[in-house]
Amino acid sequence: GESVGLHLPTLSVQEGDNSIINCAYSNSASDYFIWYKQESGKGPQFIIDIRSNMDKRQGQRVTVLLNKTVKHLSLQIAATQPGDSAVYFCAENKNTGNQFYFGTGTSLTVIP
Amino acid sequence: GAVVSQHPSWVICKSGTSVKIECRSLDFQATTMFWYRQFPKQSLMLMATSNEGSKATYEQGVEKDKFLINHASLTLSTLTVTSAHPEDSSFYICSARDIRQGARGYTFGSGTRLTVV
């Protein structure tokens, strides 16, 4: 399944399928991005990061793709599991300090 | 790994009163901490950057006299919501950076659910 964070804030996928969560960021000068997972009532948890000098980075079951031309990030989750159900946010560092600014977010629901 | 603790995890207060929320870095020192606010089904909005030993830097549109931030030590920042009103009810989350972990060292607390009645 695939979502566009700003227009489709919810995404439902079958367990075992791959998920793609998209994020449009705002500042072309941003040089560092992080994907976070937030479960209900908790703070965000780091998933994976990527610097602007890269266009792809892989972790365990997750891959982040960065397209600087269109200011777009995506998070791919392979073999989605029920424990992946959460809200996912991209956050950008605008290269003006240590602050991170969060995107809209996408709520992922995994159907067993 | 770096751990950030927030206290309380939830609080209910009467309109007009003030509430203090604590953010502690448990196993590292943090010269900089960040305060966010999150309304239901919305994203995290950065409110301010808390700097140890100096004044906080507030984001545009955030009232510094309403949201008082104190970062008196390298392991503690506090956010005080003054004269709270129902519209201040929200989920407040802090984060701190463990510089030993480089750019990945931003860790979030578990958040504080504030309800103003």
Side-chain angles (χ1 to χ4, degrees):
Chain A
E2 182 170 349
S3 81
V4 177
L6 292 177
H7 303 289
L8 295 173
T10 62
L11 174 66
S12 295
V13 298
Q14 288 290 138
E15 180 178 359
D17 287 352
N18 297 332
S19 302
I20 300 175
I21 300 171
N22 296 297
C23 176
Y25 63 91
S26 62
N27 193 324
S28 58
S30 293
D31 63 351
Y32 181 56
F33 305 87
I34 299 177
W35 276 101
Y36 286 99
K37 173 185 181 182
Q38 186 182 29
E39 297 175 326
S40 182
K42 297 182 179 180
Q45 294 175 283
F46 174 95
I47 300 174
I48 192 169
D49 59 351
I50 189 168
R51 291 208 169 274
S52 59
N53 61 353
M54 303 172 70
D55 53 20
K56 180 179 180 179
R57 191 144 193 254
Q58 288 185 294
Q60 187 176 11
R61 282 202 306 120
V62 294
T63 301
V64 55
L65 299 178
L66 173 62
N67 185 331
K68 294 181 289 294
T69 303
V70 295
K71 294 189 291 185
H72 182 269
L73 276 165
S74 69
L75 176 70
Q76 300 176 5
I77 305 174
T80 315
Q81 302 168 1
D84 295 327
S85 294
V87 179
Y88 291 81
F89 295 98
C90 68
E92 63 182 302
N93 179 275
K94 296 184 178 179
N95 199 26
T96 56
N98 293 318
Q99 296 86 351
F100 277 85
Y101 297 87
F102 280 68
T104 305
T106 297
S107 176
L108 174 66
T109 300
V110 181
I111 303 167
Chain B
V3 178
V4 173
S5 173
Q6 261 185 261
H7 179 80
S9 56
W10 61 270
V11 58
I12 301 173
C13 71
K14 290 186 177 181
S15 188
T17 61
S18 296
V19 174
K20 180 185 286 188
I21 302 169
E22 294 185 348
C23 179
R24 293 182 185 272
S25 55
L26 296 186
D27 51 356
F28 66 100
Q29 294 182 333
T31 56
T32 305
M33 294 185 178
F34 306 91
W35 287 96
Y36 291 83
R37 180 168 56 182
Q38 185 178 30
F39 292 109
K41 299 190 185 300
Q42 294 190 25
S43 186
L44 283 75
M45 186 195 78
L46 180 64
M47 299 174 67
T49 302
S50 172
N51 304 298
E52 188 269 333
S54 65
K55 291 183 179 181
T57 305
Y58 290 82
E59 294 296 306
Q60 191 173 7
V62 178
E63 301 175 59
K64 62 180 180 181
D65 294 330
K66 175 141 185 89
F67 300 99
L68 300 179
I69 291 172
N70 184 286
H71 194 154
S73 79
L74 288 170
T75 59
L76 174 64
S77 174
T78 61
L79 169 69
T80 301
V81 183
T82 63
S83 187
H85 288 94
E87 58 265 31
D88 298 321
S89 298
S90 188
F91 193 51
Y92 292 87
I93 310 173
C94 71
S95 75
R97 183 185 177 193
D98 181 356
I99 61 173
R100 300 170 302 174
Q101 298 187 43
R104 296 190 176 200
Y106 294 89
T107 302
F108 285 80
S110 296
T112 298
R113 175 77 58 193
L114 170 64
T115 302
V116 184
V117 297

Short mmCIF file of all heavy atoms in Angstrom, two decimals, chain A residues 42-88:
data_model
loop_
_atom_site.label_atom_id
_atom_site.label_comp_id
_atom_site.label_asym_id
_atom_site.label_seq_id
_atom_site.Cartn_x
_atom_site.Cartn_y
_atom_site.Cartn_z
N LYS A 42 2.37 7.98 23.24
CA LYS A 42 3.81 7.92 23.51
C LYS A 42 4.55 8.97 22.68
O LYS A 42 3.99 9.55 21.76
CB LYS A 42 4.35 6.54 23.18
CG LYS A 42 3.77 5.43 24.04
CD LYS A 42 4.41 4.09 23.68
CE LYS A 42 3.84 2.98 24.54
NZ LYS A 42 4.45 1.65 24.20
N GLY A 43 5.81 9.17 23.01
CA GLY A 43 6.64 10.05 22.22
C GLY A 43 7.14 9.35 20.97
O GLY A 43 7.10 8.11 20.88
N PRO A 44 7.61 10.10 19.99
CA PRO A 44 8.13 9.50 18.75
C PRO A 44 9.38 8.68 18.99
O PRO A 44 10.20 9.01 19.85
CB PRO A 44 8.44 10.72 17.89
CG PRO A 44 7.65 11.84 18.46
CD PRO A 44 7.59 11.57 19.93
N GLN A 45 9.52 7.63 18.20
CA GLN A 45 10.71 6.78 18.25
C GLN A 45 11.44 6.87 16.92
O GLN A 45 10.81 6.79 15.85
CB GLN A 45 10.33 5.32 18.49
CG GLN A 45 9.71 5.02 19.83
CD GLN A 45 9.28 3.55 19.88
OE1 GLN A 45 8.27 3.16 19.33
NE2 GLN A 45 10.08 2.74 20.53
N PHE A 46 12.76 6.97 16.98
CA PHE A 46 13.59 7.02 15.78
C PHE A 46 13.47 5.71 14.99
O PHE A 46 13.51 4.62 15.57
CB PHE A 46 15.05 7.23 16.22
CG PHE A 46 16.06 7.17 15.11
CD1 PHE A 46 16.49 8.34 14.49
CD2 PHE A 46 16.60 5.97 14.69
CE1 PHE A 46 17.43 8.30 13.48
CE2 PHE A 46 17.53 5.90 13.68
CZ PHE A 46 17.95 7.07 13.08
N ILE A 47 13.30 5.86 13.67
CA ILE A 47 13.28 4.67 12.81
C ILE A 47 14.54 4.65 11.95
O ILE A 47 15.32 3.70 11.96
CB ILE A 47 12.05 4.65 11.90
CG1 ILE A 47 10.77 4.65 12.71
CG2 ILE A 47 12.09 3.42 11.00
CD1 ILE A 47 9.53 4.77 11.84
N ILE A 48 14.70 5.70 11.15
CA ILE A 48 15.81 5.75 10.22
C ILE A 48 16.03 7.19 9.82
O ILE A 48 15.12 8.01 9.86
CB ILE A 48 15.53 4.86 8.98
CG1 ILE A 48 16.80 4.67 8.14
CG2 ILE A 48 14.38 5.42 8.14
CD1 ILE A 48 16.65 3.58 7.07
N ASP A 49 17.26 7.51 9.45
CA ASP A 49 17.57 8.87 9.05
C ASP A 49 18.29 8.87 7.70
O ASP A 49 18.75 7.83 7.21
CB ASP A 49 18.43 9.58 10.11
CG ASP A 49 19.76 8.85 10.38
OD1 ASP A 49 19.95 7.72 9.88
OD2 ASP A 49 20.60 9.42 11.11
N ILE A 50 18.38 10.05 7.11
CA ILE A 50 19.09 10.18 5.84
C ILE A 50 19.58 11.61 5.69
O ILE A 50 18.88 12.55 6.08
CB ILE A 50 18.20 9.77 4.65
CG1 ILE A 50 19.03 9.69 3.36
CG2 ILE A 50 17.02 10.72 4.49
CD1 ILE A 50 18.29 9.01 2.21
N ARG A 51 20.76 11.76 5.17
CA ARG A 51 21.31 13.09 4.90
C ARG A 51 21.02 13.46 3.46
O ARG A 51 20.80 12.61 2.61
CB ARG A 51 22.81 13.12 5.18
CG ARG A 51 23.14 13.00 6.66
CD ARG A 51 24.45 13.69 7.00
NE ARG A 51 24.62 13.79 8.44
CZ ARG A 51 24.14 14.81 9.17
NH1 ARG A 51 23.46 15.77 8.60
NH2 ARG A 51 24.34 14.84 10.46
N SER A 52 21.10 14.75 3.19
CA SER A 52 20.72 15.23 1.87
C SER A 52 21.71 14.85 0.78
O SER A 52 21.41 15.00 -0.41
CB SER A 52 20.54 16.76 1.89
OG SER A 52 21.75 17.38 2.28
N ASN A 53 22.88 14.35 1.17
CA ASN A 53 23.84 13.92 0.16
C ASN A 53 23.63 12.46 -0.26
O ASN A 53 24.43 11.89 -0.99
CB ASN A 53 25.27 14.12 0.65
CG ASN A 53 25.58 13.32 1.91
OD1 ASN A 53 24.68 12.71 2.49
ND2 ASN A 53 26.83 13.33 2.33
N MET A 54 22.53 11.88 0.23
CA MET A 54 22.18 10.51 -0.12
C MET A 54 20.79 10.52 -0.72
O MET A 54 19.99 11.43 -0.45
CB MET A 54 22.20 9.61 1.11
CG MET A 54 23.52 9.59 1.85
SD MET A 54 23.40 8.70 3.41
CE MET A 54 23.21 7.03 2.81
N ASP A 55 20.46 9.48 -1.49
CA ASP A 55 19.08 9.38 -1.98
C ASP A 55 18.39 8.11 -1.50
O ASP A 55 17.19 7.93 -1.71
CB ASP A 55 19.02 9.48 -3.51
CG ASP A 55 19.94 8.50 -4.19
OD1 ASP A 55 20.33 7.50 -3.57
OD2 ASP A 55 20.29 8.74 -5.37
N LYS A 56 19.15 7.26 -0.83
CA LYS A 56 18.55 6.02 -0.32
C LYS A 56 19.35 5.53 0.86
O LYS A 56 20.58 5.62 0.89
CB LYS A 56 18.55 4.96 -1.44
CG LYS A 56 17.95 3.62 -1.04
CD LYS A 56 17.98 2.66 -2.22
CE LYS A 56 17.37 1.31 -1.87
NZ LYS A 56 17.38 0.38 -3.03
N ARG A 57 18.62 4.99 1.81
CA ARG A 57 19.28 4.39 2.97
C ARG A 57 18.43 3.23 3.45
O ARG A 57 17.20 3.35 3.52
CB ARG A 57 19.44 5.42 4.08
CG ARG A 57 20.33 4.97 5.21
CD ARG A 57 21.15 6.13 5.75
NE ARG A 57 22.22 5.64 6.61
CZ ARG A 57 22.22 5.74 7.93
NH1 ARG A 57 21.22 6.33 8.53
NH2 ARG A 57 23.23 5.27 8.63
N GLN A 58 19.06 2.13 3.79
CA GLN A 58 18.32 0.94 4.21
C GLN A 58 18.64 0.59 5.64
O GLN A 58 19.77 0.70 6.10
CB GLN A 58 18.66 -0.23 3.29
CG GLN A 58 18.07 -0.10 1.90
CD GLN A 58 18.32 -1.33 1.05
OE1 GLN A 58 19.46 -1.63 0.73
NE2 GLN A 58 17.27 -2.04 0.69
N GLY A 59 17.57 0.15 6.33
CA GLY A 59 17.74 -0.38 7.67
C GLY A 59 17.13 -1.77 7.72
O GLY A 59 16.93 -2.41 6.69
N GLN A 60 16.80 -2.20 8.91
CA GLN A 60 16.17 -3.50 9.03
C GLN A 60 14.70 -3.40 8.67
O GLN A 60 13.92 -2.75 9.35
CB GLN A 60 16.30 -4.01 10.47
CG GLN A 60 15.83 -5.43 10.67
CD GLN A 60 16.06 -5.91 12.09
OE1 GLN A 60 16.38 -5.12 12.97
NE2 GLN A 60 15.91 -7.18 12.32
N ARG A 61 14.31 -3.95 7.57
CA ARG A 61 12.93 -3.93 7.04
C ARG A 61 12.47 -2.55 6.59
O ARG A 61 11.35 -2.39 6.14
CB ARG A 61 11.89 -4.45 8.06
CG ARG A 61 11.83 -5.94 8.18
CD ARG A 61 10.47 -6.41 8.74
NE ARG A 61 10.11 -5.79 9.99
CZ ARG A 61 9.00 -5.07 10.16
NH1 ARG A 61 8.17 -4.87 9.15
NH2 ARG A 61 8.72 -4.53 11.34
N VAL A 62 13.27 -1.53 6.75
CA VAL A 62 12.86 -0.19 6.32
C VAL A 62 13.88 0.41 5.36
O VAL A 62 15.08 0.15 5.46
CB VAL A 62 12.67 0.76 7.53
CG1 VAL A 62 11.50 0.32 8.39
CG2 VAL A 62 13.93 0.87 8.36
N THR A 63 13.35 1.20 4.44
CA THR A 63 14.18 1.92 3.48
C THR A 63 13.64 3.33 3.36
O THR A 63 12.43 3.51 3.28
CB THR A 63 14.14 1.25 2.09
OG1 THR A 63 14.59 -0.10 2.21
CG2 THR A 63 15.02 1.99 1.10
N VAL A 64 14.52 4.30 3.37
CA VAL A 64 14.10 5.68 3.16
C VAL A 64 14.67 6.14 1.82
O VAL A 64 15.83 5.88 1.50
CB VAL A 64 14.54 6.61 4.32
CG1 VAL A 64 16.04 6.53 4.56
CG2 VAL A 64 14.12 8.04 4.04
N LEU A 65 13.81 6.79 1.05
CA LEU A 65 14.22 7.36 -0.23
C LEU A 65 14.05 8.87 -0.16
O LEU A 65 13.06 9.37 0.37
CB LEU A 65 13.37 6.79 -1.37
CG LEU A 65 13.44 5.28 -1.59
CD1 LEU A 65 12.49 4.89 -2.72
CD2 LEU A 65 14.85 4.83 -1.91
N LEU A 66 15.00 9.58 -0.71
CA LEU A 66 14.96 11.04 -0.70
C LEU A 66 15.06 11.57 -2.11
O LEU A 66 15.99 11.22 -2.86
CB LEU A 66 16.12 11.59 0.14
CG LEU A 66 16.34 13.10 0.13
CD1 LEU A 66 15.12 13.83 0.70
CD2 LEU A 66 17.59 13.46 0.91
N ASN A 67 14.10 12.39 -2.51
CA ASN A 67 14.13 13.04 -3.80
C ASN A 67 14.16 14.54 -3.57
O ASN A 67 13.14 15.17 -3.30
CB ASN A 67 12.89 12.65 -4.62
CG ASN A 67 12.93 13.21 -6.04
OD1 ASN A 67 13.51 14.26 -6.29
ND2 ASN A 67 12.30 12.52 -6.96
N LYS A 68 15.35 15.10 -3.66
CA LYS A 68 15.52 16.52 -3.35
C LYS A 68 14.91 17.41 -4.42
O LYS A 68 14.54 18.55 -4.15
CB LYS A 68 17.00 16.84 -3.17
CG LYS A 68 17.63 16.16 -1.96
CD LYS A 68 19.08 16.52 -1.81
CE LYS A 68 19.96 15.89 -2.87
NZ LYS A 68 19.99 14.41 -2.72
N THR A 69 14.80 16.89 -5.62
CA THR A 69 14.27 17.70 -6.72
C THR A 69 12.84 18.14 -6.44
O THR A 69 12.47 19.29 -6.68
CB THR A 69 14.33 16.92 -8.03
OG1 THR A 69 15.68 16.54 -8.28
CG2 THR A 69 13.82 17.77 -9.19
N VAL A 70 12.07 17.21 -5.89
CA VAL A 70 10.67 17.52 -5.59
C VAL A 70 10.41 17.60 -4.10
O VAL A 70 9.25 17.64 -3.66
CB VAL A 70 9.73 16.49 -6.25
CG1 VAL A 70 9.82 16.59 -7.77
CG2 VAL A 70 10.06 15.07 -5.80
N LYS A 71 11.45 17.62 -3.30
CA LYS A 71 11.35 17.71 -1.84
C LYS A 71 10.41 16.64 -1.28
O LYS A 71 9.41 16.94 -0.62
CB LYS A 71 10.90 19.12 -1.43
CG LYS A 71 11.94 20.19 -1.77
CD LYS A 71 11.61 21.55 -1.19
CE LYS A 71 10.41 22.16 -1.85
NZ LYS A 71 10.12 23.53 -1.40
N HIS A 72 10.77 15.41 -1.54
CA HIS A 72 9.91 14.29 -1.19
C HIS A 72 10.72 13.18 -0.52
O HIS A 72 11.82 12.85 -0.96
CB HIS A 72 9.23 13.76 -2.45
CG HIS A 72 8.28 12.65 -2.22
ND1 HIS A 72 8.67 11.32 -2.26
CD2 HIS A 72 6.96 12.65 -1.93
CE1 HIS A 72 7.62 10.57 -2.00
NE2 HIS A 72 6.58 11.33 -1.81
N LEU A 73 10.14 12.65 0.53
CA LEU A 73 10.72 11.52 1.25
C LEU A 73 9.72 10.38 1.25
O LEU A 73 8.51 10.61 1.30
CB LEU A 73 10.93 11.88 2.73
CG LEU A 73 12.18 12.60 3.17
CD1 LEU A 73 11.96 13.14 4.58
CD2 LEU A 73 13.37 11.67 3.16
N SER A 74 10.21 9.16 1.23
CA SER A 74 9.31 8.04 1.44
C SER A 74 9.96 7.04 2.39
O SER A 74 11.18 6.95 2.50
CB SER A 74 8.95 7.36 0.13
OG SER A 74 10.08 6.69 -0.41
N LEU A 75 9.09 6.35 3.10
CA LEU A 75 9.52 5.28 4.01
C LEU A 75 8.87 3.99 3.54
O LEU A 75 7.65 3.93 3.42
CB LEU A 75 9.08 5.59 5.45
CG LEU A 75 9.37 4.50 6.47
CD1 LEU A 75 10.88 4.40 6.73
CD2 LEU A 75 8.63 4.77 7.78
N GLN A 76 9.68 3.03 3.24
CA GLN A 76 9.18 1.74 2.81
C GLN A 76 9.39 0.73 3.93
O GLN A 76 10.49 0.60 4.44
CB GLN A 76 9.89 1.28 1.53
CG GLN A 76 9.71 2.26 0.37
CD GLN A 76 10.49 1.84 -0.87
OE1 GLN A 76 11.10 0.79 -0.91
NE2 GLN A 76 10.45 2.69 -1.89
N ILE A 77 8.32 0.06 4.29
CA ILE A 77 8.40 -0.99 5.31
C ILE A 77 8.11 -2.32 4.64
O ILE A 77 7.04 -2.50 4.04
CB ILE A 77 7.38 -0.74 6.44
CG1 ILE A 77 7.56 0.65 7.05
CG2 ILE A 77 7.52 -1.82 7.53
CD1 ILE A 77 6.49 1.02 8.07
N ALA A 78 9.06 -3.22 4.72
CA ALA A 78 8.88 -4.53 4.10
C ALA A 78 8.17 -5.48 5.05
O ALA A 78 8.35 -5.41 6.28
CB ALA A 78 10.25 -5.09 3.72
N ALA A 79 7.35 -6.34 4.46
CA ALA A 79 6.66 -7.38 5.25
C ALA A 79 6.04 -6.78 6.50
O ALA A 79 6.38 -7.16 7.63
CB ALA A 79 7.64 -8.50 5.60
N THR A 80 5.13 -5.85 6.31
CA THR A 80 4.53 -5.11 7.42
C THR A 80 3.88 -6.05 8.42
O THR A 80 3.18 -7.01 8.06
CB THR A 80 3.49 -4.11 6.87
OG1 THR A 80 4.04 -3.44 5.74
CG2 THR A 80 3.14 -3.09 7.92
N GLN A 81 4.10 -5.75 9.69
CA GLN A 81 3.60 -6.57 10.79
C GLN A 81 2.61 -5.78 11.63
O GLN A 81 2.63 -4.55 11.63
CB GLN A 81 4.77 -7.02 11.66
CG GLN A 81 5.84 -7.80 10.91
CD GLN A 81 7.12 -7.97 11.72
OE1 GLN A 81 7.21 -7.51 12.86
NE2 GLN A 81 8.10 -8.63 11.13
N PRO A 82 1.73 -6.44 12.39
CA PRO A 82 0.79 -5.70 13.25
C PRO A 82 1.46 -4.71 14.18
O PRO A 82 0.92 -3.66 14.46
CB PRO A 82 0.10 -6.84 14.02
CG PRO A 82 0.15 -8.00 13.10
CD PRO A 82 1.47 -7.89 12.38
N GLY A 83 2.66 -5.03 14.63
CA GLY A 83 3.40 -4.12 15.51
C GLY A 83 3.86 -2.85 14.83
O GLY A 83 4.30 -1.91 15.49
N ASP A 84 3.72 -2.80 13.51
CA ASP A 84 4.09 -1.59 12.77
C ASP A 84 2.96 -0.57 12.78
O ASP A 84 3.15 0.57 12.34
CB ASP A 84 4.44 -1.93 11.33
CG ASP A 84 5.70 -2.80 11.22
OD1 ASP A 84 6.61 -2.64 12.07
OD2 ASP A 84 5.76 -3.65 10.30
N SER A 85 1.78 -0.97 13.24
CA SER A 85 0.65 -0.04 13.29
C SER A 85 0.99 1.13 14.21
O SER A 85 1.30 0.95 15.39
CB SER A 85 -0.61 -0.74 13.81
OG SER A 85 -1.04 -1.73 12.89
N ALA A 86 0.96 2.33 13.67
CA ALA A 86 1.34 3.54 14.42
C ALA A 86 1.17 4.72 13.48
O ALA A 86 0.76 4.57 12.32
CB ALA A 86 2.79 3.45 14.90
N VAL A 87 1.50 5.89 13.97
CA VAL A 87 1.57 7.08 13.12
C VAL A 87 3.03 7.34 12.79
O VAL A 87 3.90 7.28 13.68
CB VAL A 87 0.95 8.31 13.80
CG1 VAL A 87 1.06 9.54 12.89
CG2 VAL A 87 -0.51 8.04 14.15
N TYR A 88 3.30 7.62 11.53
CA TYR A 88 4.67 7.83 11.07
C TYR A 88 4.83 9.27 10.62
O TYR A 88 4.01 9.81 9.87
CB TYR A 88 5.00 6.87 9.93
CG TYR A 88 5.10 5.44 10.39
CD1 TYR A 88 3.95 4.67 10.58
CD2 TYR A 88 6.33 4.87 10.68
CE1 TYR A 88 4.03 3.36 11.04
CE2 TYR A 88 6.42 3.56 11.13
CZ TYR A 88 5.28 2.82 11.32
OH TYR A 88 5.36 1.52 11.78
#
